[in-house]
Structures are given as C-alpha cells and as structure tokens.
C-alpha cells in the first residue's frame, strides 16, 4: 500500500509542478483520501486555494510547501491510518452522516386543489380543472403564454382572489372543522411575491425586521434571521439605499428576503425572472433551488415564468397552462413521454430550402419557422446527433441548436 | 454544480471545501450559511457564518474601492478561508455533542 501511495503522491507532485495546468481540487481529494489528521486536510484545502488563485511565480514559490504537505500526508497515513482512535473518529462521522440521511422532508402536501374553477365574467376567461398537489421540498414551475391563467392561479392560492368552485386544501395548516378555510392561519404560512412588486417605504433593513417581528420572530432571533437573509441573498451593499434607488434585480431579492425571513411553508413567486439580466436570473434560480432543498425549514415553492428552460432546470414538477386548462402537470423528467415525434430548435443563416435539402434523407421530417427559430420535427428514432451530423456534412453553420423533445417548449410549438 | 441531496451532510461539507479550494469563496460562503443554519442547534455557529460572510463582503468592497492593498487583502482572504474551514469542523464537533456521539 505504501508503495502504491508513494506512486500516487509522486503523480500528484508532478501534476502540481506543471504550473501551466490547473490543479482543480486534486490536492484536496488526495488529502481527503489519505490524511488522517483534520489539520492536514484543512492545510491541503488552504494550499489548493492559494495555488488556484495565484500567478505562476507565486505557484513556484508555493510548490515546496505543497510538496512537503504531500509528504506529511503520506507519513500521516502510514503511521496512523490503522490506529483504533482513527477508526473511531471515522465511525463517529459516519454516525452523523447516517443520522441526517434518515432525516427527510415531511411527505405532507402543503397545498392541494381539486377541480379548481374560476371564471372572469367580464372577459369570459375560464381557469378550470386545476388539480395540483404542492409538497415540501418541491419546486413547481408554472408555464404558459400570457393570459393563460398563471397569475389568476397564484392569486387564488394566496387568497387574494375567490374561486368559483372546486376545493382548496392546505393539509399542513390547521383548519376549522366546519370545512371553511381559515385564511388568517393560512396567511401565517404563505408568502407571495407578486409580479408587480409594491414599493417599500422607509429603511430597507427596518422593513425586514418589521416583517419578521409581525410574524412572531422577536429579539435576538429577529436580528439573526434578518442578518442571515441579508447575507444569504447578498443584500448588504444595498441596505442603505431607498427602494426607488434599487435595480429590478435587487427589488426582487429584497422582496424575496421579506418573504423568506419568517420561514413560510409555501412560497409563491409570480414571474421572478421578468426584467432580470441573465446573470441575475441564474443567481435567483440557484437561490430558489437552495431555499427549497432545506431539511430544517422545509418549504414548497411555486413559481411561474416565460423562461421555460431556466424554470425547467430548477423545477421538480411542471404545470403547463393553455387557455386556462392544464396542458401538462407532472414531473419534469416525464415531460414529453407521450410524444409522437422528436423536435429540435435551430438557428442558422441558411434558408429553409437549404435545411430541407440537407436533411432530405431523414425519414418523416418536417421543418418550419415559428418566427424565432426553425423547428425540425422528426420521428422518435432520430437523435440530435443524426440531425447535427447531416447539417455539418452539408456545411450548414449552426448558431444555436436544442433538442426540445422533452421540454414544455415542445408543447408551445404545437400552437 | 452537481445536485446534492439536502440531507447528505458529508457531501455538503465537501462541496463547501471544494469550492473554497478552487477559489469560489463567494458561493462557498452562501452554502456555508445554509449549512450552519440547517444542521447544528447552536445558533452561535450561524452567527459565525454570518460574520464570515460580512467580513468577506467588506473585504471585497475595500478592494474595489482601493481602500486596502493587495497584500493585506490576500492576508485577510486567507484568514477568512481558515475561518470557513474551522467553522465546518466546529459544526461537526457540535453535531457530535448534540447527537451524543463519542469518539
């Protein structure tokens, strides 16, 4: 084993000594595998960090320290790995891991609707047959074109709009026995961030403390909750600004902070990505994903967006609304399971005629332009590779290509 | 980033360590805040994570405004990374105490 470990250590040293190659976190992985002492692992992380953000001359300067650390890890392993105390420490860590492995989200639904129906008398628009079940730890993405009922649905769930028929149920929230919904209790567990964000008045930080306070979070816990959410959503630099001085992205993040500071059970966010630049969209989406996957303060999130691929990337379930009806409701990974064709989106400078010529040998293919992209429909046995190989072989320069067969976007193309 | 189950405490700790190692300290601190809030019962550990985050953002601001020279910035960044690693170990120690696990 020592001989083998010596070889691994030598390989690692030569890799690190090639100062032009990034070392990723190889030093850390090595330490994690062989360092018995926690201190050596932490030193490896620290050295890996310093090496990662240094220029060549500093890397050269750092190398002897890294070399000596690798030798120390090898020595540590050969001297201590078989000791009983080390085995006990490993076993203790395993017990912690096992303890939390057995902790999971409550399986309860936070919200259920059965045959939900709402009609606007003036316009005649109907939202109908909405049967959804929102569970802890899940993100449900609601997609659909404008005017298909997304905001109506959100307003009904949030209790801001009365439905005409069907049942709303909040199983996790204690309700009176007479069957009527107790909106005072429900309101204590639901946070709603609407599309049009209402302006805040007064100091931003005070608003957050106030919100936490009226939700029952007092004293030190109030301060800690606000400090946490301010740091977690990166709001500190903006705390001294007025609402009107904030960018659209920060207005949304502050609204999100106010919604989350009191740890609601259900979070509704209507069109969070509208008016955000691409980087901010990604930050908001990552935050939502991290917030939903929390085992101590479990939450269910329902959010709507026109940014289909982005919302698909973080959602567990999707609800596709078309003309007020459910076009699809289910797990993201099952989207497109019942399709008859594969569908590809393509952008290039060539004409539809060129594309048809290039793909003429592909069986049962249809190509059309939807105003934004060329859409290629082909039989289920035609893959992205098949299409791309033909396009490349025919010198078609592809600017953008995406297989949308298992995306809700495919359903949009059917209209 | 690869998806990590919320209850996989080992993978979450290693993810934070890995992010630090490859100089993605900002993302590591965000995940540390969640980790310190979710697992230990000891709120002082969350306070420490909040302090680390504050120090990191202040340092960044000083650097942007040229209020700190490069060497001082590097020294404080190294200290901050040490604090992150120390806090991760403290959380583990705290969990051992809470769960009554003896080494």
């Amino acid at each position: 084993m020592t001989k083998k470990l010596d070889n691994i250590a030598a390989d690692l040293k030569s890799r690190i000594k090639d100062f032009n190659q990034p070392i990723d976190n190889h030093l850390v992985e090595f330490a994690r595998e062989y360092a018995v002492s926690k201190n050596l692992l932490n030193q490896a992380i620290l050295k890996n960090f310093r090496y990662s953000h240094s220029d060549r001359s500093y890397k050269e300067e750092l190398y002897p320290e890294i070399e000596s650390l690798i030798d120390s890890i090898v020595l540590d392993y050969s001297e201590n790995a078989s000791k009983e105390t080390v085995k006990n420490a490993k076993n203790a860590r395993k017990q912690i891991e096992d303890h939390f492995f057995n902790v999971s989200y409550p399986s309860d639904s936070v919200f259920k609707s059965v045959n939900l129906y709402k009609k606007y008398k003036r316009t005649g628009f109907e939202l109908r047959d909405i049967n959804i079940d929102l569970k802890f730890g899940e993100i449900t993405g609601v997609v659909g074109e404008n005017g298909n009922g997304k905001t109506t649905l959100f307003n009904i769930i949030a209790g801001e709009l009365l439905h005409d028929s069907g049942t709303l149920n909040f199983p996790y929230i204690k309700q009176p026995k007479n069957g009527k919904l107790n909106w005072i209790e429900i309101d204590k567990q639901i946070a709603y961030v609407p599309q049009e964000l209402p302006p805040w008045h007064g100091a931003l930080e005070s608003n957050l403390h106030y919100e936490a306070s009226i939700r029952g979070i007092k004293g030190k816990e109030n301060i800690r909750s606000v400090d946490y959410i301010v740091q977690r959503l990166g709001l500190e630099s903006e705390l001294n600004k007025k609402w009107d001085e904030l960018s659209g992205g920060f207005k949304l993040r502050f609204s999100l902070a106010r919604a989350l500071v009191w740890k609601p059970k259900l979070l509704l966010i209507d069109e969070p990505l509208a008016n955000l630049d691409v980087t901010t969209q990604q930050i908001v989406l990552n935050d939502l994903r991290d917030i939903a996957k929390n085992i101590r303060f479990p939450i269910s999130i329902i959010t709507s967006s026109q940014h289909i691929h982005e919302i698909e990337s973080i959602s567990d379930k999707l609800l596709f609304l078309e003309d007020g009806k459910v076009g699809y409701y289910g797990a993201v990974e099952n989207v497109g399971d019942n399709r008859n064709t594969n569908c590809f989106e393509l952008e290039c400078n060539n004409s539809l005629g060129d594309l048809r010529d290039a793909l003429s040998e592909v069986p049962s293919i249809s190509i059309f332009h939807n105003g934004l992209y060329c859409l290629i429909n082909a039989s289920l046995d035609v893959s992205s590779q098949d299409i791309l190989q033909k396009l490349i072989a025919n010198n078609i320069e592809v600017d953008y290509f995406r297989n949308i067969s298992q995306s809700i976007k495919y359903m949009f193309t059917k209209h | 980033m690869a998806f990590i189950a919320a209850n996989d405490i080992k993978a979450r700790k290693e993810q934070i360590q890995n992010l630090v190692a490859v100089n993605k300290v900002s993302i590591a601190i965000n995940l540390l805040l969640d980790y310190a809030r979710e697992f230990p019962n000891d709120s002082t550990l969350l306070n420490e994570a909040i302090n680390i985050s504050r120090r990191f953002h202040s340092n960044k601001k000083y650097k942007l405004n040229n209020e700190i020279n490069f060497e001082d910035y590097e020294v404080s960044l190294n200290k901050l990374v040490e604090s992150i690693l120390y806090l991760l170990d403290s959380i583990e120690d705290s969990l051992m105490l809470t769960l009554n696990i003896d080494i």
Side-chain angles (χ1 to χ4, degrees):
Chain A
M1 182 64 195
T2 316
K3 186 77 189 156
K4 193 183 156 201
L5 180 54
D6 285 343
N7 291 340
I8 295 170
D11 280 352
L12 180 63
K13 284 179 192 171
S14 72
R15 191 182 181 123
I16 295 172
K17 207 172 183 178
D18 179 359
F19 301 110
N20 296 318
Q21 291 272 354
I23 62 163
D24 300 326
N25 52 14
H26 292 301
L27 180 60
V28 177
E29 281 166 10
F30 175 78
R32 201 170 274 139
E33 184 73 30
Y34 299 107
V36 175
S37 143
K38 262 188 199 176
N39 182 36
L40 287 175
L41 170 60
N42 284 348
Q43 277 189 49
I45 297 166
L46 197 58
K47 296 255 185 304
N48 206 123
F49 161 74
R50 285 164 65 192
Y51 189 96
S52 295
H53 79 292
S54 299
D55 56 21
R56 192 189 163 103
S57 67
Y58 187 69
K59 280 178 182 169
E60 285 176 10
E61 210 177 294
L62 196 61
Y63 180 74
E65 287 179 35
I66 292 179
E67 199 175 30
S68 137
L69 176 64
I70 292 172
D71 290 339
S72 303
I73 291 171
V74 172
L75 190 67
D76 185 37
Y77 183 84
S78 44
E79 282 183 355
N80 299 318
S82 56
K83 283 185 180 165
E84 203 57 33
T85 48
V86 173
K87 285 179 186 164
N88 289 346
K90 265 191 182 169
N91 185 35
R93 276 197 288 276
K94 183 83 177 58
Q95 281 184 56
I96 297 178
E97 288 155 30
D98 290 347
H99 171 84
F100 285 102
F101 255 128
N102 295 325
V103 176
S104 56
Y105 310 116
S107 55
D108 315 51
S109 302
V110 186
F111 170 82
K112 272 183 181 179
S113 73
V114 180
N115 297 330
L116 192 66
Y117 176 82
K118 168 76 189 171
K119 182 174 182 178
Y120 289 106
K121 287 186 181 128
R122 199 163 55 83
T123 60
F125 173 79
E126 293 175 306
L127 180 73
R128 54 187 187 273
D129 300 330
I130 307 293
N131 298 293
I132 56 173
D133 184 357
L134 310 179
K135 288 184 162 41
F136 280 113
E138 275 184 0
I139 300 182
T140 304
V142 183
V143 291
E145 289 172 359
N146 285 333
N148 276 267
K150 299 191 294 290
T151 302
T152 299
L153 175 64
F154 277 53
N155 283 336
I156 291 172
I157 300 174
E160 298 202 349
L161 186 67
L162 273 178
H163 58 292
D164 296 334
S165 63
T167 325
L168 299 182
N169 191 6
F170 295 85
Y172 196 77
I173 301 166
K174 207 176 169 188
Q175 298 294 333
K177 285 181 184 160
N178 63 11
K180 287 186 178 172
L181 293 174
N182 180 348
W183 282 104
I184 295 172
E185 284 303 313
I186 293 167
D187 188 51
K188 287 180 187 167
Q189 304 289 353
I190 292 186
Y192 182 27
V193 180
Q195 192 176 350
E196 297 289 331
L197 301 171
W200 293 16
H201 304 286
L204 299 172
E205 192 172 4
S206 306
N207 272 270
L208 294 174
H209 285 297
Y210 175 73
E211 187 71 23
S213 174
I214 58 168
R215 302 287 184 166
I217 302 171
K218 314 269 187 200
K220 281 185 185 168
E221 186 54 29
N222 182 302
I223 295 168
R224 190 179 300 114
S225 298
V226 171
D227 284 349
Y228 163 78
I229 206 74
V230 164
Q231 293 301 322
R232 183 60 185 84
L233 298 182
L235 304 176
E236 198 174 25
S237 62
E238 311 295 302
L239 273 183
N240 294 324
K241 290 185 178 170
K242 289 180 181 159
W243 179 259
D244 290 342
E245 294 167 347
L246 295 175
S247 66
F250 272 107
K251 280 180 180 162
L252 175 72
R253 294 170 76 71
F254 269 100
S255 302
L256 206 50
R258 188 158 73 173
L260 291 169
V261 73
W262 52 276
K263 307 175 197 97
K265 298 283 181 282
L266 176 61
L267 172 65
L268 299 103
I269 323 174
D270 197 5
E271 297 281 356
L273 304 182
N275 310 319
L276 297 185
D277 60 64
V278 179
T279 315
T280 316
Q281 280 179 17
Q282 208 47 56
I283 294 170
V284 169
L285 289 170
N286 286 340
D287 286 342
L288 289 182
R289 191 194 52 206
D290 293 340
I291 289 158
K293 311 290 176 201
N294 186 313
I295 51 168
R296 186 165 204 169
F297 305 106
I299 187 171
S300 178
I301 297 180
I302 180 165
T303 181
S304 67
S305 183
Q306 307 275 358
H307 296 73
I308 294 165
H309 295 307
E310 286 79 0
I311 217 73
E312 280 177 343
S313 72
I314 59 151
S315 296
D316 301 289
K317 280 185 190 163
L318 285 172
L319 170 65
F320 173 51
L321 290 175
E322 47 182 347
D323 301 327
K325 286 187 301 184
V326 176
Y328 175 82
Y329 176 60
V332 172
E333 57 270 21
N334 296 338
V335 173
D337 277 1
N338 299 323
R339 70 189 187 279
N340 301 318
T341 59
N342 278 338
C343 186
F344 310 93
E345 260 181 359
L346 173 83
E347 209 177 301
C348 66
N349 283 329
N350 297 67
S351 67
L352 282 179
D354 291 343
L355 287 178
R356 286 189 181 114
D357 288 344
L359 299 172
S360 58
E361 288 168 19
V362 180
S364 4
I365 197 163
S366 77
I367 305 172
F368 64 99
H369 202 281
N370 70 354
L372 279 174
Y373 302 110
C374 290
L375 291 173
I376 301 168
N377 278 301
S379 55
L380 289 174
D381 54 349
V382 176
S383 67
S384 300
Q385 282 84 346
D386 297 333
I387 300 280
L388 283 168
Q389 276 167 8
K390 296 266 183 237
L391 294 172
I392 291 163
N394 285 279
N395 291 323
I396 304 275
E397 204 170 304
V398 178
D399 293 328
Y400 165 82
F401 182 87
R402 190 166 209 149
N403 184 350
I404 58 166
S405 310
Q406 290 192 284
S407 162
I408 284 286
K409 208 163 187 187
Y410 182 43
M411 299 187 186
F412 277 83
T413 68
K414 297 290 174 196
H415 299 288
Chain B
M1 272 191 298
F3 175 75
I4 289 174
N7 57 359
D8 190 344
I9 190 165
K10 178 176 181 242
R12 287 181 63 176
K13 181 182 175 184
E14 289 180 357
Q15 184 186 29
I16 296 168
Q17 291 172 328
N18 289 344
L19 286 164
V20 168
V22 296
N23 193 23
K24 292 188 175 169
V25 181
S26 175
I27 306 172
I29 289 175
N30 271 347
L31 299 185
L32 176 71
L33 282 162
D34 292 344
Y35 187 81
R37 183 174 175 246
E38 268 179 81
F39 293 109
N41 277 325
D42 183 352
S43 55
T44 56
L45 296 168
L46 175 57
N47 289 346
E48 182 53 28
I50 291 168
N51 279 336
I52 288 173
S53 175
R54 263 203 200 113
R55 275 162 54 201
F56 175 71
H57 291 291
S58 305
N59 271 343
K60 245 170 74 172
K61 198 173 117 188
Y62 293 148
K63 191 187 166 204
L64 278 173
N65 295 338
N66 282 327
E67 292 169 23
I68 188 171
N69 64 40
F70 179 77
E71 285 75 23
D72 288 347
Y73 175 74
E74 285 297 304
V75 169
S76 37
L77 193 58
N78 277 305
K79 280 186 183 164
L80 197 118
V81 165
E82 281 178 32
S83 306
I84 294 174
L85 301 177
Y86 182 74
L87 179 58
L88 283 172
D89 288 339
S90 303
I91 290 172
E92 196 171 84
D93 294 343
S94 160
L95 290 172
M96 280 194 192
L97 272 178
T98 314
L99 301 174
N100 231 346
I101 296 170
D102 264 343
I103 297 180

